[in-house]
Tab-separated table of all heavy atoms in Angstrom:
chain	number	residue	atom	x	y	z
A	1	MET	N	-38.632	33.067	6.714
A	1	MET	CA	-38.394	32.131	5.637
A	1	MET	C	-38.069	30.760	6.234
A	1	MET	O	-37.211	30.634	7.093
A	1	MET	CB	-37.221	32.631	4.794
A	1	MET	CG	-36.893	31.729	3.654
A	1	MET	SD	-35.588	32.491	2.680
A	1	MET	CE	-34.693	31.045	2.262
A	2	ILE	N	-38.758	29.777	5.754
A	2	ILE	CA	-38.533	28.410	6.226
A	2	ILE	C	-37.639	27.694	5.212
A	2	ILE	O	-37.936	27.645	4.018
A	2	ILE	CB	-39.869	27.665	6.375
A	2	ILE	CG1	-40.741	28.379	7.419
A	2	ILE	CG2	-39.633	26.223	6.771
A	2	ILE	CD1	-42.124	27.824	7.528
A	3	ALA	N	-36.517	27.164	5.704
A	3	ALA	CA	-35.589	26.455	4.814
A	3	ALA	C	-35.958	24.983	4.788
A	3	ALA	O	-36.244	24.391	5.826
A	3	ALA	CB	-34.169	26.625	5.297
A	4	ARG	N	-35.961	24.424	3.632
A	4	ARG	CA	-36.246	22.994	3.519
A	4	ARG	C	-34.982	22.212	3.878
A	4	ARG	O	-33.877	22.578	3.455
A	4	ARG	CB	-36.672	22.649	2.103
A	4	ARG	CG	-37.976	23.268	1.733
A	4	ARG	CD	-38.400	22.807	0.377
A	4	ARG	NE	-39.665	23.448	0.020
A	4	ARG	CZ	-40.308	23.187	-1.078
A	4	ARG	NH1	-39.835	22.340	-1.946
A	4	ARG	NH2	-41.452	23.791	-1.321
A	5	PRO	N	-35.134	21.146	4.635
A	5	PRO	CA	-33.952	20.365	5.042
A	5	PRO	C	-33.171	19.785	3.863
A	5	PRO	O	-31.952	19.718	3.899
A	5	PRO	CB	-34.546	19.240	5.900
A	5	PRO	CG	-35.881	19.723	6.339
A	5	PRO	CD	-36.352	20.668	5.274
A	6	ALA	N	-33.863	19.407	2.809
A	6	ALA	CA	-33.176	18.805	1.667
A	6	ALA	C	-32.223	19.803	1.009
A	6	ALA	O	-31.127	19.445	0.578
A	6	ALA	CB	-34.187	18.297	0.654
A	7	ILE	N	-32.651	21.064	0.964
A	7	ILE	CA	-31.809	22.095	0.334
A	7	ILE	C	-30.519	22.284	1.131
A	7	ILE	O	-29.463	22.547	0.564
A	7	ILE	CB	-32.605	23.416	0.199
A	7	ILE	CG1	-33.758	23.220	-0.773
A	7	ILE	CG2	-31.697	24.540	-0.258
A	7	ILE	CD1	-34.690	24.409	-0.867
A	8	LEU	N	-30.591	22.138	2.438
A	8	LEU	CA	-29.402	22.294	3.272
A	8	LEU	C	-28.585	21.005	3.361
A	8	LEU	O	-27.355	21.042	3.421
A	8	LEU	CB	-29.803	22.740	4.676
A	8	LEU	CG	-30.454	24.118	4.783
A	8	LEU	CD1	-30.915	24.358	6.215
A	8	LEU	CD2	-29.489	25.193	4.348
A	9	LEU	N	-29.256	19.870	3.387
A	9	LEU	CA	-28.541	18.607	3.598
A	9	LEU	C	-27.794	18.115	2.372
A	9	LEU	O	-26.718	17.541	2.495
A	9	LEU	CB	-29.522	17.527	4.079
A	9	LEU	CG	-30.029	17.689	5.503
A	9	LEU	CD1	-31.022	16.600	5.829
A	9	LEU	CD2	-28.869	17.652	6.483
A	10	ILE	N	-28.342	18.327	1.188
A	10	ILE	CA	-27.685	17.815	-0.025
A	10	ILE	C	-26.285	18.400	-0.198
A	10	ILE	O	-25.330	17.655	-0.401
A	10	ILE	CB	-28.579	18.037	-1.270
A	10	ILE	CG1	-29.797	17.111	-1.176
A	10	ILE	CG2	-27.806	17.774	-2.550
A	10	ILE	CD1	-30.828	17.320	-2.256
A	11	PRO	N	-26.080	19.715	-0.106
A	11	PRO	CA	-24.707	20.225	-0.222
A	11	PRO	C	-23.780	19.705	0.888
A	11	PRO	O	-22.606	19.420	0.645
A	11	PRO	CB	-24.857	21.741	-0.119
A	11	PRO	CG	-26.263	22.015	-0.487
A	11	PRO	CD	-27.033	20.814	-0.035
A	12	LEU	N	-24.319	19.561	2.099
A	12	LEU	CA	-23.491	19.045	3.189
A	12	LEU	C	-23.074	17.596	2.935
A	12	LEU	O	-21.928	17.206	3.187
A	12	LEU	CB	-24.245	19.146	4.516
A	12	LEU	CG	-24.424	20.552	5.077
A	12	LEU	CD1	-25.289	20.513	6.330
A	12	LEU	CD2	-23.076	21.176	5.384
A	13	ILE	N	-23.982	16.787	2.404
A	13	ILE	CA	-23.659	15.394	2.088
A	13	ILE	C	-22.618	15.327	0.983
A	13	ILE	O	-21.679	14.539	1.044
A	13	ILE	CB	-24.947	14.626	1.716
A	13	ILE	CG1	-25.836	14.474	2.944
A	13	ILE	CG2	-24.629	13.264	1.128
A	13	ILE	CD1	-27.221	13.936	2.644
A	14	VAL	N	-22.776	16.166	-0.034
A	14	VAL	CA	-21.800	16.185	-1.139
A	14	VAL	C	-20.420	16.567	-0.621
A	14	VAL	O	-19.419	15.925	-0.958
A	14	VAL	CB	-22.269	17.151	-2.248
A	14	VAL	CG1	-21.167	17.367	-3.267
A	14	VAL	CG2	-23.523	16.608	-2.924
A	15	VAL	N	-20.341	17.587	0.216
A	15	VAL	CA	-19.059	18.011	0.776
A	15	VAL	C	-18.451	16.907	1.627
A	15	VAL	O	-17.252	16.621	1.554
A	15	VAL	CB	-19.235	19.318	1.591
A	15	VAL	CG1	-17.990	19.608	2.410
A	15	VAL	CG2	-19.539	20.475	0.656
A	16	ALA	N	-19.268	16.232	2.427
A	16	ALA	CA	-18.769	15.169	3.293
A	16	ALA	C	-18.234	14.003	2.471
A	16	ALA	O	-17.166	13.447	2.770
A	16	ALA	CB	-19.870	14.697	4.230
A	17	VAL	N	-18.940	13.631	1.415
A	17	VAL	CA	-18.503	12.499	0.585
A	17	VAL	C	-17.223	12.856	-0.152
A	17	VAL	O	-16.277	12.071	-0.199
A	17	VAL	CB	-19.624	12.088	-0.396
A	17	VAL	CG1	-19.099	11.110	-1.434
A	17	VAL	CG2	-20.794	11.484	0.365
A	18	VAL	N	-17.175	14.050	-0.733
A	18	VAL	CA	-15.971	14.464	-1.461
A	18	VAL	C	-14.796	14.579	-0.499
A	18	VAL	O	-13.686	14.121	-0.798
A	18	VAL	CB	-16.219	15.786	-2.208
A	18	VAL	CG1	-14.921	16.350	-2.742
A	18	VAL	CG2	-17.214	15.570	-3.335
A	19	SER	N	-15.010	15.128	0.664
A	19	SER	CA	-13.935	15.273	1.643
A	19	SER	C	-13.424	13.913	2.103
A	19	SER	O	-12.220	13.701	2.212
A	19	SER	CB	-14.422	16.072	2.850
A	19	SER	OG	-14.783	17.376	2.441
A	20	ALA	N	-14.335	12.979	2.365
A	20	ALA	CA	-13.927	11.643	2.782
A	20	ALA	C	-13.142	10.957	1.676
A	20	ALA	O	-12.151	10.263	1.934
A	20	ALA	CB	-15.149	10.819	3.159
A	21	ASP	N	-13.559	11.169	0.433
A	21	ASP	CA	-12.855	10.572	-0.705
A	21	ASP	C	-11.450	11.148	-0.816
A	21	ASP	O	-10.478	10.424	-1.034
A	21	ASP	CB	-13.658	10.836	-1.975
A	21	ASP	CG	-13.282	9.888	-3.100
A	21	ASP	OD1	-12.805	8.791	-2.787
A	21	ASP	OD2	-13.481	10.261	-4.269
A	22	VAL	N	-11.318	12.449	-0.658
A	22	VAL	CA	-10.007	13.100	-0.745
A	22	VAL	C	-9.108	12.647	0.407
A	22	VAL	O	-7.928	12.343	0.207
A	22	VAL	CB	-10.170	14.639	-0.744
A	22	VAL	CG1	-8.834	15.332	-0.571
A	22	VAL	CG2	-10.845	15.088	-2.025
A	23	VAL	N	-9.670	12.557	1.602
A	23	VAL	CA	-8.887	12.109	2.756
A	23	VAL	C	-8.440	10.664	2.562
A	23	VAL	O	-7.305	10.301	2.847
A	23	VAL	CB	-9.699	12.271	4.063
A	23	VAL	CG1	-9.024	11.576	5.232
A	23	VAL	CG2	-9.898	13.739	4.365
A	24	GLY	N	-9.332	9.821	2.046
A	24	GLY	CA	-8.980	8.425	1.784
A	24	GLY	C	-7.881	8.307	0.744
A	24	GLY	O	-6.951	7.511	0.885
A	25	PHE	N	-7.962	9.101	-0.308
A	25	PHE	CA	-6.938	9.091	-1.354
A	25	PHE	C	-5.598	9.563	-0.802
A	25	PHE	O	-4.555	8.954	-1.054
A	25	PHE	CB	-7.384	9.981	-2.521
A	25	PHE	CG	-6.430	9.995	-3.666
A	25	PHE	CD1	-6.294	8.895	-4.485
A	25	PHE	CD2	-5.660	11.117	-3.927
A	25	PHE	CE1	-5.405	8.909	-5.550
A	25	PHE	CE2	-4.780	11.141	-4.981
A	25	PHE	CZ	-4.650	10.030	-5.804
A	26	ALA	N	-5.615	10.632	-0.024
A	26	ALA	CA	-4.381	11.155	0.561
A	26	ALA	C	-3.780	10.149	1.531
A	26	ALA	O	-2.550	9.950	1.560
A	26	ALA	CB	-4.657	12.475	1.272
A	27	THR	N	-4.609	9.475	2.306
A	27	THR	CA	-4.111	8.468	3.237
A	27	THR	C	-3.490	7.297	2.492
A	27	THR	O	-2.436	6.787	2.883
A	27	THR	CB	-5.265	7.971	4.130
A	27	THR	OG1	-5.845	9.096	4.795
A	27	THR	CG2	-4.784	6.973	5.148
A	28	THR	N	-4.118	6.888	1.406
A	28	THR	CA	-3.571	5.795	0.599
A	28	THR	C	-2.205	6.167	0.043
A	28	THR	O	-1.260	5.370	0.090
A	28	THR	CB	-4.535	5.447	-0.550
A	28	THR	OG1	-5.805	5.118	-0.001
A	28	THR	CG2	-4.012	4.288	-1.367
A	29	LEU	N	-2.078	7.375	-0.488
A	29	LEU	CA	-0.790	7.819	-1.017
A	29	LEU	C	0.269	7.879	0.081
A	29	LEU	O	1.425	7.494	-0.132
A	29	LEU	CB	-0.924	9.193	-1.676
A	29	LEU	CG	-1.602	9.224	-3.040
A	29	LEU	CD1	-1.687	10.658	-3.542
A	29	LEU	CD2	-0.844	8.380	-4.045
A	30	LEU	N	-0.127	8.340	1.254
A	30	LEU	CA	0.811	8.424	2.365
A	30	LEU	C	1.292	7.033	2.778
A	30	LEU	O	2.492	6.826	3.010
A	30	LEU	CB	0.150	9.134	3.545
A	30	LEU	CG	1.031	9.353	4.773
A	30	LEU	CD1	2.189	10.278	4.433
A	30	LEU	CD2	0.214	9.926	5.904
A	31	VAL	N	0.389	6.083	2.838
A	31	VAL	CA	0.772	4.715	3.209
A	31	VAL	C	1.706	4.117	2.163
A	31	VAL	O	2.697	3.465	2.503
A	31	VAL	CB	-0.491	3.839	3.393
A	31	VAL	CG1	-0.136	2.371	3.507
A	31	VAL	CG2	-1.261	4.284	4.621
A	32	ILE	N	1.426	4.355	0.890
A	32	ILE	CA	2.302	3.851	-0.174
A	32	ILE	C	3.688	4.465	-0.044
A	32	ILE	O	4.699	3.770	-0.170
A	32	ILE	CB	1.686	4.139	-1.558
A	32	ILE	CG1	0.450	3.250	-1.761
A	32	ILE	CG2	2.693	3.898	-2.670
A	32	ILE	CD1	-0.359	3.594	-2.987
A	33	CYS	N	3.756	5.760	0.218
A	33	CYS	CA	5.059	6.427	0.372
A	33	CYS	C	5.822	5.868	1.574
A	33	CYS	O	7.040	5.685	1.505
A	33	CYS	CB	4.862	7.931	0.525
A	33	CYS	SG	4.342	8.746	-0.990
A	34	VAL	N	5.126	5.584	2.662
A	34	VAL	CA	5.788	5.022	3.843
A	34	VAL	C	6.346	3.637	3.533
A	34	VAL	O	7.482	3.314	3.894
A	34	VAL	CB	4.803	4.977	5.033
A	34	VAL	CG1	5.344	4.123	6.167
A	34	VAL	CG2	4.507	6.377	5.518
A	35	ILE	N	5.569	2.809	2.832
A	35	ILE	CA	6.030	1.454	2.499
A	35	ILE	C	7.234	1.510	1.571
A	35	ILE	O	8.229	0.810	1.773
A	35	ILE	CB	4.876	0.651	1.871
A	35	ILE	CG1	3.813	0.366	2.929
A	35	ILE	CG2	5.383	-0.657	1.264
A	35	ILE	CD1	2.533	-0.227	2.378
A	36	VAL	N	7.173	2.356	0.552
A	36	VAL	CA	8.296	2.475	-0.386
A	36	VAL	C	9.521	3.038	0.323
A	36	VAL	O	10.641	2.561	0.120
A	36	VAL	CB	7.897	3.351	-1.599
A	36	VAL	CG1	9.097	3.689	-2.462
A	36	VAL	CG2	6.839	2.641	-2.422
A	37	GLY	N	9.327	4.028	1.178
A	37	GLY	CA	10.455	4.591	1.924
A	37	GLY	C	11.092	3.560	2.830
A	37	GLY	O	12.320	3.472	2.924
A	38	PHE	N	10.278	2.751	3.496
A	38	PHE	CA	10.821	1.698	4.355
A	38	PHE	C	11.607	0.693	3.534
A	38	PHE	O	12.679	0.237	3.949
A	38	PHE	CB	9.686	0.996	5.102
A	38	PHE	CG	10.167	-0.117	5.980
A	38	PHE	CD1	10.774	0.160	7.191
A	38	PHE	CD2	10.014	-1.435	5.587
A	38	PHE	CE1	11.229	-0.862	8.000
A	38	PHE	CE2	10.463	-2.459	6.389
A	38	PHE	CZ	11.063	-2.175	7.592
A	39	ALA	N	11.112	0.345	2.353
A	39	ALA	CA	11.812	-0.608	1.493
A	39	ALA	C	13.160	-0.047	1.045
A	39	ALA	O	14.167	-0.761	1.013
A	39	ALA	CB	10.950	-0.954	0.279
A	40	ILE	N	13.204	1.236	0.723
A	40	ILE	CA	14.462	1.860	0.299
A	40	ILE	C	15.459	1.885	1.448
A	40	ILE	O	16.633	1.543	1.276
A	40	ILE	CB	14.197	3.287	-0.246
A	40	ILE	CG1	13.434	3.200	-1.566
A	40	ILE	CG2	15.492	4.065	-0.416
A	40	ILE	CD1	12.926	4.535	-2.072
A	41	VAL	N	14.999	2.258	2.629
A	41	VAL	CA	15.890	2.298	3.794
A	41	VAL	C	16.399	0.900	4.122
A	41	VAL	O	17.586	0.706	4.406
A	41	VAL	CB	15.160	2.923	5.006
A	41	VAL	CG1	15.949	2.729	6.280
A	41	VAL	CG2	14.922	4.405	4.753
A	42	ALA	N	15.524	-0.086	4.062
A	42	ALA	CA	15.932	-1.461	4.357
A	42	ALA	C	16.936	-1.961	3.329
A	42	ALA	O	17.904	-2.648	3.674
A	42	ALA	CB	14.710	-2.371	4.396
A	43	ALA	N	16.742	-1.611	2.061
A	43	ALA	CA	17.673	-2.037	1.021
A	43	ALA	C	19.039	-1.382	1.220
A	43	ALA	O	20.076	-2.043	1.083
A	43	ALA	CB	17.116	-1.692	-0.360
A	44	GLU	N	19.058	-0.109	1.550
A	44	GLU	CA	20.342	0.569	1.782
A	44	GLU	C	21.041	-0.001	3.008
A	44	GLU	O	22.255	-0.175	3.013
A	44	GLU	CB	20.111	2.074	1.951
A	44	GLU	CG	19.733	2.768	0.667
A	44	GLU	CD	19.496	4.245	0.869
A	44	GLU	OE1	19.696	4.739	1.992
A	44	GLU	OE2	19.123	4.911	-0.107
A	45	TRP	N	20.281	-0.314	4.048
A	45	TRP	CA	20.873	-0.887	5.256
A	45	TRP	C	21.486	-2.243	4.947
A	45	TRP	O	22.566	-2.574	5.408
A	45	TRP	CB	19.806	-1.026	6.334
A	45	TRP	CG	20.299	-1.746	7.542
A	45	TRP	CD1	21.103	-1.254	8.510
A	45	TRP	CD2	20.035	-3.109	7.893
A	45	TRP	NE1	21.361	-2.229	9.457
A	45	TRP	CE2	20.715	-3.370	9.091
A	45	TRP	CE3	19.293	-4.123	7.305
A	45	TRP	CZ2	20.665	-4.609	9.718
A	45	TRP	CZ3	19.233	-5.353	7.920
A	45	TRP	CH2	19.919	-5.585	9.110
A	46	THR	N	20.811	-3.034	4.131
A	46	THR	CA	21.321	-4.359	3.789
A	46	THR	C	22.596	-4.238	2.974
A	46	THR	O	23.563	-4.958	3.211
A	46	THR	CB	20.257	-5.141	2.994
A	46	THR	OG1	19.072	-5.187	3.767
A	46	THR	CG2	20.720	-6.541	2.709
A	47	VAL	N	22.616	-3.321	2.018
A	47	VAL	CA	23.795	-3.165	1.161
A	47	VAL	C	24.956	-2.586	1.958
A	47	VAL	O	26.079	-3.079	1.894
A	47	VAL	CB	23.461	-2.267	-0.054
A	47	VAL	CG1	24.719	-1.903	-0.801
A	47	VAL	CG2	22.475	-2.974	-0.956
A	48	ASN	N	24.696	-1.551	2.735
A	48	ASN	CA	25.770	-0.912	3.489
A	48	ASN	C	26.253	-1.778	4.644
A	48	ASN	O	27.411	-1.706	5.036
A	48	ASN	CB	25.308	0.444	4.026
A	48	ASN	CG	25.115	1.447	2.910
A	48	ASN	OD1	25.696	1.313	1.850
A	48	ASN	ND2	24.285	2.444	3.149
A	49	GLY	N	25.360	-2.586	5.196
A	49	GLY	CA	25.731	-3.442	6.311
A	49	GLY	C	26.462	-4.694	5.872
A	49	GLY	O	26.936	-5.453	6.697
A	50	LYS	N	26.540	-4.912	4.589
A	50	LYS	CA	27.197	-6.077	4.006
A	50	LYS	C	26.692	-7.373	4.629
A	50	LYS	O	27.455	-8.291	4.899
A	50	LYS	CB	28.708	-5.976	4.145
A	50	LYS	CG	29.307	-4.790	3.424
A	50	LYS	CD	30.809	-4.886	3.397
A	50	LYS	CE	31.499	-3.694	2.833
A	50	LYS	NZ	30.934	-2.942	1.825
A	51	THR	N	25.388	-7.426	4.853
A	51	THR	CA	24.824	-8.661	5.365
A	51	THR	C	24.777	-9.679	4.243
A	51	THR	O	24.577	-9.336	3.089
A	51	THR	CB	23.402	-8.444	5.911
A	51	THR	OG1	22.608	-7.898	4.865
A	51	THR	CG2	23.400	-7.517	7.100
A	52	THR	N	25.003	-10.907	4.589
A	52	THR	CA	25.008	-11.958	3.570
A	52	THR	C	23.727	-12.767	3.690
A	52	THR	O	23.201	-12.962	4.777
A	52	THR	CB	26.223	-12.892	3.744
A	52	THR	OG1	26.167	-13.442	5.052
A	52	THR	CG2	27.519	-12.130	3.570
A	53	SER	N	23.274	-13.226	2.569
A	53	SER	CA	22.061	-14.031	2.575
A	53	SER	C	22.429	-15.506	2.753
A	53	SER	O	23.571	-15.917	2.557
A	53	SER	CB	21.295	-13.843	1.266
A	53	SER	OG	22.095	-14.258	0.191
A	54	ILE	N	21.455	-16.280	3.084
A	54	ILE	CA	21.671	-17.717	3.240
A	54	ILE	C	21.916	-18.314	1.856
A	54	ILE	O	21.212	-17.988	0.912
A	54	ILE	CB	20.427	-18.351	3.889
A	54	ILE	CG1	20.208	-17.749	5.260
A	54	ILE	CG2	20.542	-19.865	3.962
A	54	ILE	CD1	18.911	-18.152	5.901
A	55	PRO	N	22.914	-19.188	1.723
A	55	PRO	CA	23.182	-19.759	0.409
A	55	PRO	C	21.982	-20.558	-0.101
A	55	PRO	O	21.307	-21.221	0.675
A	55	PRO	CB	24.385	-20.671	0.629
A	55	PRO	CG	24.746	-20.580	2.048
A	55	PRO	CD	23.841	-19.640	2.737
A	56	ALA	N	21.756	-20.466	-1.403
A	56	ALA	CA	20.615	-21.153	-1.987
A	56	ALA	C	20.893	-22.645	-2.147
A	56	ALA	O	19.975	-23.446	-2.197
A	56	ALA	CB	20.281	-20.536	-3.343
A	57	ILE	N	22.158	-23.018	-2.232
A	57	ILE	CA	22.521	-24.417	-2.446
A	57	ILE	C	23.045	-24.982	-1.136
A	57	ILE	O	23.907	-24.389	-0.489
A	57	ILE	CB	23.598	-24.550	-3.551
A	57	ILE	CG1	23.050	-23.976	-4.849
A	57	ILE	CG2	24.012	-25.990	-3.718
A	57	ILE	CD1	24.057	-23.892	-5.945
A	58	ARG	N	22.528	-26.127	-0.783
A	58	ARG	CA	22.956	-26.772	0.447
A	58	ARG	C	24.326	-27.404	0.231
A	58	ARG	O	24.575	-27.995	-0.818
A	58	ARG	CB	21.933	-27.834	0.810
A	58	ARG	CG	22.051	-28.341	2.175
A	58	ARG	CD	20.910	-29.265	2.464
A	58	ARG	NE	21.189	-29.976	3.689
A	58	ARG	CZ	20.509	-30.970	4.147
A	58	ARG	NH1	19.475	-31.403	3.460
A	58	ARG	NH2	20.826	-31.547	5.263
A	59	PRO	N	25.252	-27.281	1.188
A	59	PRO	CA	26.563	-27.882	0.996
A	59	PRO	C	26.468	-29.405	0.909
A	59	PRO	O	25.557	-30.015	1.457
A	59	PRO	CB	27.339	-27.448	2.236
A	59	PRO	CG	26.323	-27.045	3.227
A	59	PRO	CD	25.105	-26.620	2.464
A	60	SER	N	27.433	-29.987	0.226
A	60	SER	CA	27.443	-31.444	0.093
A	60	SER	C	27.719	-32.074	1.455
A	60	SER	O	28.190	-31.417	2.385
A	60	SER	CB	28.503	-31.883	-0.916
A	60	SER	OG	29.778	-31.559	-0.424
A	61	SER	N	27.456	-33.354	1.552
A	61	SER	CA	27.628	-34.029	2.840
A	61	SER	C	29.097	-34.027	3.267
A	61	SER	O	29.405	-33.961	4.453
A	61	SER	CB	27.093	-35.450	2.762
A	61	SER	OG	27.784	-36.176	1.772
A	62	GLU	N	30.046	-34.077	2.318
A	62	GLU	CA	31.474	-34.036	2.672
A	62	GLU	C	31.825	-32.688	3.289
A	62	GLU	O	32.510	-32.616	4.303
A	62	GLU	CB	32.331	-34.292	1.438
A	62	GLU	CG	32.187	-35.694	0.879
A	62	GLU	CD	32.915	-35.854	-0.442
A	62	GLU	OE1	33.517	-34.864	-0.902
A	62	GLU	OE2	32.863	-36.945	-1.005
A	63	ASP	N	31.345	-31.620	2.666
A	63	ASP	CA	31.600	-30.287	3.223
A	63	ASP	C	30.951	-30.152	4.584
A	63	ASP	O	31.499	-29.544	5.494
A	63	ASP	CB	31.067	-29.201	2.289
A	63	ASP	CG	31.863	-29.117	0.995
A	63	ASP	OD1	33.014	-29.584	0.988
A	63	ASP	OD2	31.320	-28.603	0.003
A	64	TRP	N	29.783	-30.718	4.724
A	64	TRP	CA	29.061	-30.623	5.978
A	64	TRP	C	29.816	-31.352	7.084
A	64	TRP	O	29.941	-30.862	8.186
A	64	TRP	CB	27.662	-31.208	5.804
A	64	TRP	CG	26.783	-30.999	6.989
A	64	TRP	CD1	26.409	-31.944	7.869
A	64	TRP	CD2	26.207	-29.770	7.418
A	64	TRP	NE1	25.620	-31.388	8.838
A	64	TRP	CE2	25.476	-30.051	8.592
A	64	TRP	CE3	26.217	-28.468	6.946
A	64	TRP	CZ2	24.774	-29.089	9.277
A	64	TRP	CZ3	25.526	-27.517	7.645
A	64	TRP	CH2	24.804	-27.815	8.785
A	65	GLU	N	30.369	-32.514	6.767
A	65	GLU	CA	31.132	-33.268	7.760
A	65	GLU	C	32.405	-32.522	8.153
A	65	GLU	O	32.769	-32.469	9.324
A	65	GLU	CB	31.484	-34.659	7.228
A	65	GLU	CG	30.306	-35.594	7.090
A	65	GLU	CD	29.667	-35.900	8.423
A	65	GLU	OE1	30.397	-36.032	9.426
A	65	GLU	OE2	28.428	-36.002	8.481
A	66	SER	N	33.064	-31.896	7.178
A	66	SER	CA	34.295	-31.171	7.504
A	66	SER	C	33.997	-29.929	8.331
A	66	SER	O	34.813	-29.517	9.163
A	66	SER	CB	35.055	-30.797	6.232
A	66	SER	OG	34.288	-29.902	5.467
A	67	ASN	N	32.851	-29.340	8.130
A	67	ASN	CA	32.475	-28.157	8.917
A	67	ASN	C	32.136	-28.526	10.350
A	67	ASN	O	32.313	-27.737	11.263
A	67	ASN	CB	31.296	-27.439	8.283
A	67	ASN	CG	31.693	-26.675	7.034
A	67	ASN	OD1	32.866	-26.358	6.846
A	67	ASN	ND2	30.731	-26.402	6.189
A	68	ARG	N	31.620	-29.717	10.546
A	68	ARG	CA	31.230	-30.128	11.890
A	68	ARG	C	32.431	-30.473	12.756
A	68	ARG	O	32.353	-30.439	13.968
A	68	ARG	CB	30.285	-31.340	11.810
A	68	ARG	CG	28.914	-30.937	11.321
A	68	ARG	CD	28.009	-32.103	11.116
A	68	ARG	NE	27.838	-32.891	12.327
A	68	ARG	CZ	27.147	-34.022	12.397
A	68	ARG	NH1	26.576	-34.476	11.287
A	68	ARG	NH2	27.023	-34.676	13.510
A	69	ARG	N	33.568	-30.805	12.166
A	69	ARG	CA	34.748	-31.203	12.949
A	69	ARG	C	35.473	-30.043	13.511
A	69	ARG	O	35.571	-29.025	13.538
A	69	ARG	CB	35.723	-31.971	12.064
A	69	ARG	CG	35.155	-33.314	11.716
A	69	ARG	CD	36.150	-34.079	10.905
A	69	ARG	NE	35.453	-35.231	10.344
A	69	ARG	CZ	35.883	-35.900	9.315
A	69	ARG	NH1	36.990	-35.550	8.711
A	69	ARG	NH2	35.228	-36.930	8.875
């Protein structure tokens, strides 16, 4: 019996495309989870470390002069 290449190749192509799609989707979800996890860890570190942010308002020139002395 001679098998036609198209009969064998079409199912293999379908499996390869579906598998690549599933792997791509799983990789995307994994990357999203890593980014969100990093953001959560960074937020907890900032809160627990009591780090202060830079003030949004610049001090007045009088305050600035007194700080420099």
